[in-house]
Amino acid sequence: MGENQCIITVSRQYGCGGRELAGILAEKLGINDLSEKELLEMENTVKPVSMNFIPFHSFGMSMGSSSREMFHSESAVIRKLANNGSCVMLGRCADFALRKRDDVFSVFVCADDAFREKRGQTMYDGKSLKELDKEDAKRARYYNYYTGLEWGDGKHYDLVVNTSKASLDQIADAIIAYIHTLKG
C-alpha cells in the first residue's frame, strides 16, 4: 500500500453491519463522511470529491448493455475518487475496480445467520433472514456478472471479518491494526 494513502473497500452481506463498520473505519481514520445528499449528487454528476466514505446508494440489478455502461461509469468514478486520496468505499465492486492499485485494502464483512436475523428484525424494518439472503443473492449475481469473480470468496479479499464475533468498534480497530501491520 502507498505510504500516505489507504483506500479501504468494504463488501458485505446484507444485515451484518457492514455499512456501520465502514462508517466507523472512516471516522477512526479521520476521513469525513459525505451526507446522503452529497453522495447522490456525486453519483448523478460523476465528479470526483476529496477523501470520503462512499456508500454508493443506487443498486441497479438489471444486467445488459445499459447496466454494463453504468458499471463502467461507476468504476470510473471509483477510480477518480481513489486518485483524490484515502477513503472508505462501500460496495459497488470497488475492490474489483481498484484491483490494480497497491494502496487498496479490501474487506468482506459477514455474520452468522442468527446475528443477521436479529439485525434484520431490529435494524432493517423486520426483514427476515430469507429476505436478507434474497438481497445477498442479488449482490452476488451483480458482482459475479461484472467481475467474473465469486462474491464473498475470501481469496478475493485481503481480510474477511465476522461481525457476530465482536463489536463493530473492536472489529474496526482490528482492521486498522492489520492494515498498519501490512504497511509495516
Side-chain angles (χ1 to χ4, degrees):
M1 283 187 219
E3 181 76 24
N4 296 321
Q5 180 166 312
C6 180
I7 300 160
I8 301 172
T9 65
V10 177
S11 300
R12 80 280 188 211
Q13 282 184 306
Y14 193 47
C16 71
R19 179 179 301 279
E20 294 93 334
L21 180 60
I24 292 167
L25 283 167
E27 183 179 324
K28 286 180 177 280
L29 293 169
I31 299 169
N32 295 323
D33 292 350
L34 288 176
S35 71
E36 188 165 315
K37 178 183 172 192
E38 290 167 318
L39 285 167
L40 292 172
E41 180 181 319
M42 183 276 307
E43 287 182 38
N44 291 332
T45 60
V46 191
K47 65 181 180 182
V49 294
S50 61
M51 305 183 328
N52 295 296
F53 160 59
I54 317 293
F56 287 88
H57 290 288
S58 56
F59 193 70
M61 287 314 305
S62 64
M63 295 173 224
S65 61
S66 64
S67 67
R68 184 163 296 282
E69 290 171 18
M70 181 182 76
F71 174 78
H72 289 298
S73 294
E74 286 178 348
S75 294
V77 169
I78 289 167
R79 286 189 292 274
K80 285 179 185 179
L81 290 168
N83 288 335
N84 286 337
S86 295
C87 56
V88 177
M89 294 189 191
L90 182 66
R92 306 313 299 161
C93 306
D95 59 306
F96 182 80
L98 301 173
R99 69 193 179 282
K100 295 179 181 176
R101 296 180 63 116
D102 65 358
D103 57 354
V104 175
F105 185 83
S106 62
V107 179
F108 187 82
V109 184
C110 62
D112 298 343
D113 285 349
F115 180 86
R116 291 176 57 233
E117 187 168 36
K118 183 177 179 184
R119 282 182 58 88
Q121 293 299 307
T122 59
M123 305 285 289
Y124 296 95
D125 299 324
K127 285 190 173 22
S128 68
L129 182 60
K130 184 176 180 177
E131 290 171 302
L132 300 177
D133 287 343
K134 186 176 178 182
E135 184 63 29
D136 279 346
K138 288 180 188 177
R139 289 178 177 178
R141 278 193 310 274
Y142 184 89
Y143 188 89
N144 300 353
Y145 180 82
Y146 289 111
T147 69
L149 303 174
E150 186 176 344
W151 177 80
D153 185 341
K155 67 184 172 193
H156 301 301
Y157 304 92
D158 296 305
L159 185 66
V160 176
V161 297
N162 185 327
T163 56
S164 53
K165 303 296 183 190
S167 74
L168 295 178
D169 193 63
Q170 291 170 320
I171 292 169
D173 287 340
I175 291 169
I176 292 167
Y178 188 65
I179 291 170
H180 287 310
T181 299
L182 293 178
K183 288 175 99 172

